[in-house]
Amino acid sequence: MIIKGEILKHQRESMGLSQRSLADGICHQSLISRMESESHITSMVILQELCHRLQIDLDQIVSLEEPNYLNLNAVRSALNVGNYGIARQLLKKQCNIKHLPDEAKPLFHTLHAQLDLSARNFFGALNDLQSASVAVTPLQRNLILEIEMVTTEVWLKLKDCDKARYSNSIALKKLRNFQGIKHSVLDNNIIVGIYRQSAQLELEQKSLVVAEKFLRQAREYASKVTLTAELVRLNLVEGRLKKLQNEKRESCKAYIRAYTGAEQLGDTVMMDDIKPFLAEHKIDYFD
């Protein structure tokens, strides 16, 4: 497996650990030396133990150029911009779960769940997410959060707010725990999604003040993210909030930002979802 040896070395040195002390009880010192210089390891068990000792996420160490992950990351990139057709084609033709190592399987299931969600196969998505939850490791922190976020999204689509609220509460709790871990690097797009869902659920209860607080938190992280489908959803929720606050002009602006963003991404499914909100405000759009 290809890893980022320079990150391993930097983290070890920043913690004041020698190669021998890092390896103690896990592997031989020579393996640490090879990992740092050759960026390669064959044992996932050893790598997980080293990441735990170094207090860093497994995802920070595994290289995106690792063949087992390369196609899965291409699927995720396609999903982030709402290109479901390409994502489905990549996952079906280039990502055979039988050939994936165990640590890559929860990501496969999570991506498959997102495709099921886009196709409104909600219970298929829940089955995929259950498989992902069973297989994910404690050091795959971003993936743990993503699984909870997608689970919440399924329940939101099913209009089961009680189960969505429960899933979201778990996501928030885990997010806060992970943010408290030193050197933990979390995906800003996932954080935006969790806070956006929190705001959306508060809107269902007409808790506008709390919803606005969650939206502000989402916006803090959104500034660090390039245009994604999640940012479009964030604008859509903001439009609903502003409408409930009787701020019609701001509501219109948010819906227009959402539609423009979906249009830029070429996400026709999301564009169709936003059109009723535009029509409600008598805003013209072009097909």
Side-chain angles (χ1 to χ4, degrees):
M1 175 179 297
I2 302 170
I3 62 168
K4 299 175 182 177
E6 72 281 1
I7 292 180
L8 186 147
K9 181 179 180 180
H10 178 269
Q11 182 67 4
R12 175 181 63 77
E13 292 177 342
S14 69
M15 295 180 72
L17 297 174
S18 66
Q19 290 183 346
R20 183 181 297 277
S21 57
L22 174 59
D24 187 33
I26 298 176
C27 61
H28 196 276
Q29 177 188 345
S30 61
L31 179 59
I32 304 296
S33 179
R34 288 200 303 274
M35 289 172 66
E36 292 182 354
S37 60
E38 300 174 13
S39 297
H40 189 268
I41 187 173
T42 57
S43 173
M44 175 53 62
V45 175
I46 290 176
L47 183 59
Q48 289 176 331
E49 290 292 329
L50 293 173
C51 285
H52 182 73
R53 183 164 290 177
L54 290 170
Q55 300 177 21
I56 55 177
D57 295 352
L58 182 66
D59 295 341
Q60 289 176 248
I61 290 292
V62 176
S63 173
L64 296 181
E65 299 305 315
E66 160 65 38
N68 292 319
Y69 288 90
L70 196 56
N71 290 329
L72 289 176
N73 280 288
V75 174
R76 170 176 277 157
S77 296
L79 283 170
N80 281 343
V81 297
N83 205 329
Y84 306 111
I86 288 179
R88 189 171 288 105
Q89 186 178 29
L90 284 170
L91 196 64
K92 183 177 180 180
K93 294 185 177 181
Q94 298 186 32
C95 303
N96 190 329
I97 192 169
K98 294 180 181 179
H99 300 152
L100 291 172
D102 288 342
E103 73 277 2
K105 290 177 181 177
L107 175 55
F108 176 94
H109 289 303
T110 304
L111 295 173
H112 202 282
Q114 292 183 57
L115 285 170
D116 280 339
L117 179 58
S118 70
R120 301 188 180 279
N121 178 14
F122 302 124
F123 293 102
L126 289 173
N127 285 334
D128 286 323
L129 291 164
Q130 178 61 33
S131 297
S133 297
V134 170
V136 72
T137 72
L139 290 171
Q140 292 178 293
R141 297 184 183 115
N142 279 304
L143 192 51
I144 289 171
L145 293 176
E146 189 171 9
I147 290 168
E148 296 298 343
M149 183 186 75
V150 180
T151 301
T152 302
E153 200 67 28
V154 174
W155 292 122
L156 282 169
K157 293 294 186 184
L158 286 169
K159 300 188 185 303
D160 191 329
C161 289
D162 289 337
K163 289 180 180 176
R165 197 168 287 110
Y166 176 73
S167 297
N168 179 250
S169 68
I170 294 174
L172 283 171
K173 183 178 180 180
K174 290 181 177 180
L175 173 59
R176 288 161 183 160
N177 287 340
F178 293 161
Q179 287 175 324
I181 298 174
K182 192 176 181 181
H183 304 298
S184 183
V185 178
L186 302 177
D187 186 324
N188 289 319
N189 196 58
I190 295 174
I191 298 174
V192 171
I194 292 171
Y195 282 137
R196 184 267 304 169
Q197 290 172 335
S198 301
Q200 190 171 340
L201 286 163
E202 292 298 331
L203 286 182
E204 295 295 331
Q205 295 185 312
K206 300 297 189 291
S207 301
L208 306 190
V209 174
V210 181
E212 190 167 31
K213 182 195 76 172
F214 280 124
L215 274 177
R216 281 199 303 270
Q217 290 175 301
R219 283 287 177 202
E220 288 178 17
Y221 291 92
S223 62
K224 305 169 188 175
V225 178
T226 55
L227 181 61
T228 64
E230 188 52 59
L231 296 187
V232 174
R233 297 185 191 103
L234 180 61
N235 280 308
L236 191 56
V237 174
E238 186 170 348
R240 290 180 58 198
L241 172 65
K242 295 302 180 183
K243 179 189 174 185
L244 291 171
Q245 292 175 327
N246 294 316
E247 297 182 29
K248 184 175 180 180
R249 183 182 294 273
E250 294 304 315
S251 176
C252 288
K253 288 180 180 178
Y255 287 142
I256 291 171
R257 286 197 301 270
Y259 187 82
T260 303
E263 193 173 36
Q264 283 181 272
L265 294 174
D267 190 334
T268 55
V269 174
M270 192 171 288
M271 287 166 66
D272 288 339
D273 287 342
I274 299 169
K275 285 177 182 179
F277 296 98
L278 297 178
E280 186 179 345
H281 284 286
K282 298 181 181 179
I283 302 171
D284 291 329
Y285 54 83
F286 299 94
D287 290 316

